[in-house]
Amino acid sequence: MIVGTFVNPLCLFLPTQDCFSVDMDIPTENNEPPILGAQSNKRRKKSIVWDYFTIETVGADCTRACCKQCKKSFAYISGSKLAGTSHLKRHIVLGICPVSRRNQGKNQSTPYRPGFKPNGAACGTDSPRKRYRTAPVFPSISFNQDLCNHELAKMIILHEYPLNIVEHHGFVDFVRTLQPKFNMASVDSIQMDCVGVYLSEKQRLLNFICGIPGRVSLTLDLWTTDETRGYVFLTGQFVDLDWKLQRRILNIIMVPSPDSEVAFNHAVTRCLNDWGLDSKLFTLTLNESFANVTVRENLRGLLSIRNPLVLNGQLLIGNCYARVLTSLTQDALGSMKETIKKVRESVKYVKTSEFIEEKFIKLKQQLQVPSMKCLTIDNPTKWNTTYHMLVAALELKEVFSCLDTSDPNYSETPSMDEWKQLETLCAYLKLFFEAANILIATMHPTANLFFHEVWKIQFELTHGSMSEDPIVSTLIKPLKEKFDQYWNSSNMVLAIAAVMDPRFKMKLVDFSFSRIYGNNAENWIKIVEEGVHELFLEYVVQSLPPPTFVQDGNEFFVKTELVEEGETLLSTGDGLSDFEVYISEITGNQQMKSELDQYLEEPLLPRVQEFDVLGWWKLNTSKYPTLSKMASDVLSIPFSTVAPDSVFDTASKKMDSYRASLRPVTLEALICVKDWMRYGSSVQVRSSKISTAIVKMENF
């Protein structure tokens, strides 16, 4: 007999017909579980599992269920916790009970099935209602065809899928399985959706650029095709309102005849008109594709017309920093191509056979070579991989020499003289590699970082070209001649950018020029000083209020507030006005130093590795209101035209056949939006028309 009264905890959660309470003073028949309803005369039906289980009390607060067939005991009630009946149902319905399985085979008993009684009677109206474990209920989301089209367009843009993916049977079937209501777009309509995303993003970026206080510098990069067409990538770089450096692809303009001397002027002009940059252009940076002297002079003339403020168009960076380093590296590698070929074949010989590689490792251990480098086969289209291959091979040259004597099939080892030549080569490749690393160390490096790397290369090449070692001088002389062109055309802009770094100012220019030019350094330093002051003076002029003109007959004169001779100033008030004028004159004479002179005379900041130069100028804007504007523009000058993932590329960029087959406006939309979305996007499907966008939809 079970003593006591309890309430099934499930009564708090289950429907009324599944809840039960029982008066435990009344014994149950046939050792069946308590039946609901001691507090009411209406008795409720019990779960069907109790046809297979009995209840056993094993303690004051513990009740267990016992299988009638296999006699196995299961948890049921422990204190206030109720285990429920789900595990009991599984014991029967899944055939876990061994006796039930045997009886089923002998047809002695019917296993438990939900909704079926052992006596064969079908469950009718008086059978207990089955409870189901319901799946999570999600809020109903209405289908939106426009939103789906918008997201499909974004997917195509972000992952560079072809537009005709909407016709691929596998993709169509997959989408219809997810949402049968979705009406798959045609190629033409999805193209229009992609352009719609472009227009919205372009308007948003235009508003962003129009709000910046400073100027925009442009880079021009030329991509070619298998035909005679070219595509000019125009990328803008600028400092935003929060003093963060930003970089965006602005236009991709198809040039039918890249050899035309004025085609690039038209491309720049269109970019300026598209983005309202007529009064905001600062500098132009070109790559080696614009080697034609006439093309460069035309662009310089355009720059001087569009931006006469900045040293009459002198701030034209004629060569891309990354491309210059790549060109130097290719020339250096080409001078020893036969020796490098031996190293490449040696590395392939070791890496393409597990047996040979294991033998190589054992030789390394026997020779106790301390190198931690691993051999890797280079990719000739990435010059940094060739550099790493050579460095690793040099550290393991003793192992290669030993392999040459122990393996008769290996015959590609370089001689000792060739290893020595490779050591000289790698010393200069390291210089170029470290100089290129500033382009990948940060997403968008500020202009002040380049001068130090460039002057080091100029210094090392100058001394290397005069070396008495014929190996060194033969290697370096042609490299110096090529690099001189870049140094002579860019050292002014590079130096001005370094001056805008409060850790260096003119001191770094003095130091570096004295090492490069020796006794002639003073003249070069003076040129930079004059250039900095001339540029600052133009910013001062631009910051002055416009003059007031007065008409005298048919002529106009600038109105001035001068005191005529003989005119006296009457003192007012307490009679000390003349004294105040006197003090203001003295103070004015003491403050004749410009912001630039004050900045240059102040002590240098400590040189720390992690220094936010734009953040420093942001904090000192009130102290240097005019100079900070100049610093903002100068520090945002881009010296490289390539993306970080292309810094070490040895091949020029080519447009693939699929992209080249697209209409120019569609190609521009797809590439530009992908670039813009890397920095975040707030574009949503809007009900408002986008007629305010710069490019009209019908143009596409």
Side-chain angles (χ1 to χ4, degrees), residues 89-278:
K89 293 176 184 177
R90 288 194 296 270
H91 181 71
I92 300 300
V93 74
L94 298 180
I96 299 174
C97 176
V99 177
S100 177
R101 288 201 304 271
R102 289 195 300 269
N103 290 341
Q104 183 180 4
K106 299 176 182 179
N107 293 323
Q108 292 181 357
S109 176
T110 303
Y112 166 76
R113 295 201 307 263
F116 186 82
K117 287 190 175 183
N119 59 9
C123 295
T125 56
D126 54 350
S127 62
R129 188 164 68 183
K130 182 180 177 183
R131 290 172 300 186
Y132 295 92
R133 186 184 299 273
T134 60
V137 178
F138 296 99
S140 176
I141 301 176
S142 60
F143 173 70
N144 188 325
Q145 179 73 39
D146 291 338
L147 179 60
C148 292
N149 289 341
H150 176 77
E151 292 301 321
L152 177 57
K154 284 177 59 178
M155 181 193 76
I156 290 173
I157 292 170
L158 288 173
H159 301 287
E160 299 183 8
Y161 296 136
L163 292 173
N164 65 352
I165 191 176
V166 297
E167 296 177 345
H168 294 180
H169 295 301
F171 179 71
V172 173
D173 292 343
F174 171 69
V175 173
R176 285 177 178 169
T177 302
L178 292 178
Q179 177 51 264
K181 294 181 180 180
F182 181 71
N183 183 22
M184 182 58 70
S186 65
V187 173
D188 289 338
S189 63
I190 199 63
Q191 179 178 234
M192 297 300 288
D193 289 332
C194 291
V195 171
V197 175
Y198 166 72
L199 293 174
S200 299
E201 285 290 327
K202 187 172 185 179
Q203 186 65 54
R204 173 174 170 264
L205 182 57
L206 175 65
N207 296 337
F208 183 58
I209 292 177
C210 288
I212 65 172
R215 294 172 173 267
V216 177
S217 291
L218 295 179
T219 68
L220 279 70
D221 198 14
L222 181 65
W223 289 36
T224 59
T225 63
D226 293 334
E227 296 83 17
T228 58
R229 292 174 297 167
Y231 290 86
V232 180
F233 282 60
L234 293 106
T235 303
Q237 190 157 295
F238 53 90
V239 173
D240 63 19
L241 286 170
D242 293 326
W243 284 84
K244 301 296 182 183
L245 189 61
Q246 304 288 344
R247 185 181 178 95
R248 301 288 190 279
I249 298 176
L250 299 181
N251 289 96
I252 300 168
I253 299 174
M254 194 267 286
V255 181
S257 302
D259 296 333
S260 171
E261 295 177 349
V262 296
F264 304 112
N265 281 46
H266 294 321
V268 174
T269 301
R270 178 190 149 183
C271 178
L272 298 179
N273 293 336
D274 271 6
W275 297 93
L277 300 178
D278 278 335

Side-chain angles (χ1 to χ4, degrees), residues 545-563:
T548 303
F549 292 92
V550 295
Q551 186 175 5
D552 183 8
N554 294 327
E555 297 182 354
F556 289 87
F557 299 92
V558 178
K559 181 180 179 180
T560 58
E561 299 292 340
L562 297 178
V563 178

